[in-house]
Amino acid sequence: MHTAIVIGTGFVLLGLCAFAGFLFGGKATVPAALLAFLPLWIIGAAVNMYMGVKSAGYSVAEEMPMFLVVFGVPAIVALAIWWYVR
């Protein structure tokens, strides 16, 4: 359940980035905003992984597959949208 919530948070951040790009520059800046989402989200996914290692007691090796899923799902969607709107 936690993984779904974190992935959902990624999609919310993706939507906020796209909306901010549209708000500040119109349709022309949305692709740049979608690409700006990626470093923000990798930081968020890394913080989630750190919390899993530090608080929940998982090892880095146990958390790495979940990190890839948590980062990858919203990132793939962001890149697909970027490819479509560029």
Side-chain angles (χ1 to χ4, degrees), residues 42-80:
I42 202 164
I43 291 168
V47 167
N48 179 63
M49 180 177 162
Y50 173 77
M51 295 303 293
V53 170
K54 191 71 172 171
S55 299
Y58 294 114
S59 70
V60 174
E62 290 173 319
E63 277 291 316
M64 188 56 69
M66 296 314 299
F67 169 79
L68 293 174
V69 170
V70 164
F71 173 72
V73 172
I76 289 169
V77 171
L79 290 172

Side-chain angles (χ1 to χ4, degrees), residues 6-22 30-38 40-41 71-82 85:
V6 175
I7 291 172
T9 303
F11 284 124
V12 169
L13 181 61
L14 175 60
L16 289 173
C17 285
F19 180 69
F22 181 77
V30 171
L34 292 171
L35 291 179
F37 160 79
L38 295 173
L40 294 174
W41 186 235
F71 173 72
V73 172
I76 289 169
V77 171
L79 290 172
I81 296 170
W82 170 81
V85 299

